Amino acid sequence: MKLWDKGFSTDKKIDHFTVGNDRELDLLLAKYDVIASTAHAKMLGKIGLLIKEETESLVKELATIGESIEKGEFVIDDSFEDMHSKIEYMLTEKLGDTGKKIHTARSRNDQVLVAMHLYLKNELAEIKSETKILFDLLLNLADKYKSVLIPGYTHLQIAMPSSFGLWFSAYAESLIDDLYFIDAAYKIADQNPLGSAAGYGSSFPVDRTFTTQEMGFANLKYNVVAAQMGRGKVEKATAFGISSVAATLSKMGMDICLYMSQNFNFISFPDELTTGSSIMPHKKNPDVFELVRGKCNRLQGVPNQLALILTNLPSGYHRDLQLVKEVIVPAIQDLRACIEILTFSLKEVRVNENILEDPKYDYLFSVDTLNELVLSGIPFRDAYKQMGTEIHEGRFTPKRDIKHTHEGSLGNLCLNEIRKKMNDIN
């Protein structure tokens, strides 16, 4: 069954090529089509295109379909093109001609659009919530280990003293920036496109303000052509948010892989969170964090994937837009899985509290020792040369009782201020 069926069939090869993996992806989106269809049915009743009994029976049956989706009982058979055709078939099978009326004043185009907007709203809210949980964990770890020093690096060379407090809270504050992108994508998704039909509106007197309120959208995408042009754009905005979070997680995954190696030995995890080797019995591999790094690196390419699909498309609907779904939906699932596994794993992180006792880290303190000379009255350039000579001649004695007091330094992490920044995000 196809919503555009005119009574003749298309070649099976054409069917297979054009449907793609829509059926599988639509299982994640079906509940949102039910939400939109329920609002649409109520609106049709409000404007007099359905009588009260028809509206009530449609709403009741859609609720039953929604329950079957929640229970995992809803399937899209190969004989159906997508969720829309299956849901309309179920309504018609149960309600007869009343079920056939559900498609009045709408197109599959705005069905896909509104379902995707609702889906993205929900997923973006979940990503935000899950990111905040990871943020809270990182800040708690920063506070717990704020006094434990670690080497800071530039060019992967020993540079200056850092701390686990700085390291954990750096990633926490970076996630705030990422959520600004997520919020921007949410605002774009939080506009109701339903009623744009095929992209040029309808001669039926649909009440788009009613459906906007009924589905909980903050605003309406007023211009029907703009609404249609939003297909692909809302996914691309979401992709930018996803890629921003992914960049932060990927970098942290890389840090963890380095810090777990025997050459660093900064952190470790329980055996059950690592993997082994088929031939080397001593191995405790950071596979989880390598996969986070790899998956999140791949996610950073999603905006470009979408750009390549959408570039040079004119206004109006084009079948190319179907391909957007199969890029963005798996990307969302991958990102959420990475956030979840990092949160799960970092709860068990073990910190080495004696890292800087190794003499190879003495040079970390050269800057602080140099600054002491400056504070004693020696001009900076002269003190710098003096320190360089001492290091070159092997006479350098580090000053380890360092004092960093400015905002954001290892002696003044500003964790409360960072937390407030996160709390200020709606």
Side-chain angles (χ1 to χ4, degrees):
M1 177 183 173
K2 301 177 180 67
L3 296 184
W4 47 271
D5 189 1
K6 302 180 184 70
F8 56 87
S9 62
T10 53
D11 188 280
K12 287 184 178 179
K13 284 185 180 292
I14 300 298
D15 263 2
H16 180 75
F17 186 76
T18 55
V19 172
N21 61 351
D22 258 20
R23 297 185 188 96
E24 292 82 1
L25 296 173
D26 277 1
L27 290 176
L28 293 172
L29 299 173
K31 77 174 192 176
Y32 302 103
D33 189 60
V34 168
I35 291 170
S37 294
T38 301
H40 186 69
K42 290 179 179 179
M43 184 275 296
L44 292 177
K46 180 176 180 292
I47 65 173
L49 290 179
L50 294 176
I51 62 174
K52 180 181 178 183
E53 291 75 16
E54 290 174 325
T55 301
E56 290 176 348
S57 60
L58 280 169
V59 169
K60 181 180 178 181
E61 190 57 33
L62 283 165
T64 301
I65 295 172
E67 289 172 6
S68 72
I69 293 170
E70 291 296 329
K71 292 177 182 177
E73 299 170 352
F74 178 82
V75 294
I76 305 173
D77 317 87
D78 288 349
S79 55
F80 295 94
E81 188 173 20
D82 51 31
M83 60 181 172
H84 315 293
S85 54
K86 177 62 183 289
I87 290 171
E88 183 169 326
Y89 172 82
M90 293 173 73
L91 291 174
T92 301
E93 186 179 45
K94 190 76 172 181
L95 304 175
D97 286 346
T98 298
K100 297 177 182 178
K101 295 182 179 182
I102 190 64
H103 202 61
T104 306
R106 68 176 181 176
S107 163
R108 186 170 66 162
N109 290 344
D110 62 345
Q111 279 186 265
V112 174
L113 261 172
V114 71
M116 183 57 73
H117 274 248
L118 289 168
Y119 167 75
L120 291 178
K121 275 186 63 179
N122 181 76
E123 292 299 310
L124 287 165
E126 290 295 326
I127 288 170
K128 187 173 178 179
S129 175
E130 291 160 4
T131 300
K132 285 185 172 181
I133 292 171
L134 176 58
F135 168 89
D136 287 336
L137 173 62
L138 290 170
L139 274 198
N140 289 339
L141 289 170
D143 188 50
K144 181 177 181 180
Y145 297 112
K146 61 186 175 185
S147 299
V148 180
L149 297 183
I150 60 174
Y153 296 86
T154 62
H155 310 277
L156 269 182
Q157 304 294 304
I158 292 168
M160 290 180 65
S162 182
S163 69
F164 279 112
L166 270 180
W167 185 64
F168 284 121
S169 61
Y171 282 104
E173 190 166 8
S174 292
L175 289 173
I176 295 172
D177 293 339
D178 303 331
L179 290 190
Y180 292 149
F181 285 97
I182 294 294
D183 269 357
Y186 187 91
K187 287 181 180 179
I188 294 172
D190 202 13
Q191 302 174 93
N192 176 25
L194 185 61
S196 56
Y200 300 96
S202 172
S203 59
F204 291 109
V206 295
D207 189 338
R208 300 186 66 207
T209 299
F210 175 84
T211 56
T212 298
Q213 295 169 347
E214 192 70 21
M215 290 183 285
F217 282 105
N219 212 335
L220 176 63
K221 194 76 170 183
Y222 291 98
N223 185 293
V224 290
V225 176
Q228 179 58 59
M229 288 196 298
R231 189 167 178 189
K233 189 171 187 176
V234 65
E235 291 91 344
K236 192 174 177 183
T238 299
F240 278 117
I242 287 173
S243 68
S244 186
V245 178
T248 299
L249 302 189
S250 173
K251 189 180 290 291
M252 187 169 205
M254 180 60 192
D255 276 1
I256 292 173
C257 290
L258 284 175
Y259 291 178
M260 283 181 67
S261 75
Q262 291 89 341
N263 302 83
F264 285 78
N265 193 30
F266 294 174
I267 60 175
S268 62
F269 290 88
D271 289 351
E272 57 267 25
L273 297 183
T274 63
T275 60
S277 164
S278 62
I279 63 170
M280 294 173 283
H282 67 282
K283 295 296 291 296
K284 290 178 61 175
N285 296 326
D287 285 27
V288 163
F289 307 104
E290 291 173 338
L291 286 172
V292 166
R293 180 179 62 197
K295 287 175 180 287
C296 287
N297 284 343
R298 184 172 63 188
L299 287 172
Q300 291 177 75
V302 172
N304 192 50
Q305 283 183 269
L306 294 178
L308 291 173
I309 295 171
L310 300 169
T311 295
N312 296 333
L313 289 185
S315 62
Y317 175 73
H318 311 278
R319 195 62 181 258
D320 315 51
L321 294 167
Q322 176 182 322
L323 303 178
V324 169
K325 188 192 301 183
E326 63 190 47
V327 175
I328 196 64
V329 173
I332 288 170
Q333 303 308 309
D334 274 351
L335 180 67
R336 292 187 61 186
C338 287
I339 296 170
E340 180 185 14
I341 200 66
L342 264 183
T343 304
F344 175 78
S345 301
L346 284 171
K347 290 177 182 177
E348 304 298 328
V349 67
R350 297 168 178 172
V351 164
N352 179 355
E353 300 194 13
N354 304 302
I355 297 168
L356 298 194
E357 290 180 3
D358 192 320
K360 70 183 177 184
Y361 296 123
D362 283 354
Y363 291 133
L364 282 172
F365 301 94
S366 68
V367 175
D368 293 277
T369 308
L370 166 63
N371 290 348
E372 282 294 307
L373 294 176
V374 174
L375 290 172
S376 71
I378 301 175
F380 176 84
R381 188 51 57 200
D382 293 339
Y384 181 89
K385 290 180 179 179
Q386 177 182 328
M387 189 63 55
T389 300
E390 290 180 6
I391 291 171
H392 179 71
E393 295 177 352
R395 297 184 289 108
F396 171 67
T397 302
K399 170 183 166 49
R400 290 177 170 270
D401 57 332
I402 58 176
K403 295 179 181 178
H404 293 200
T405 59
H406 69 75
E407 297 95 328
S409 65
L410 60 85
N412 184 7
L413 295 176
C414 296
L415 300 185
N416 289 335
E417 290 79 1
I418 293 172
R419 193 179 299 278
K420 183 179 183 305
K421 282 174 67 176
M422 176 61 90
N423 291 340
D424 285 344
I425 299 177
N426 295 329

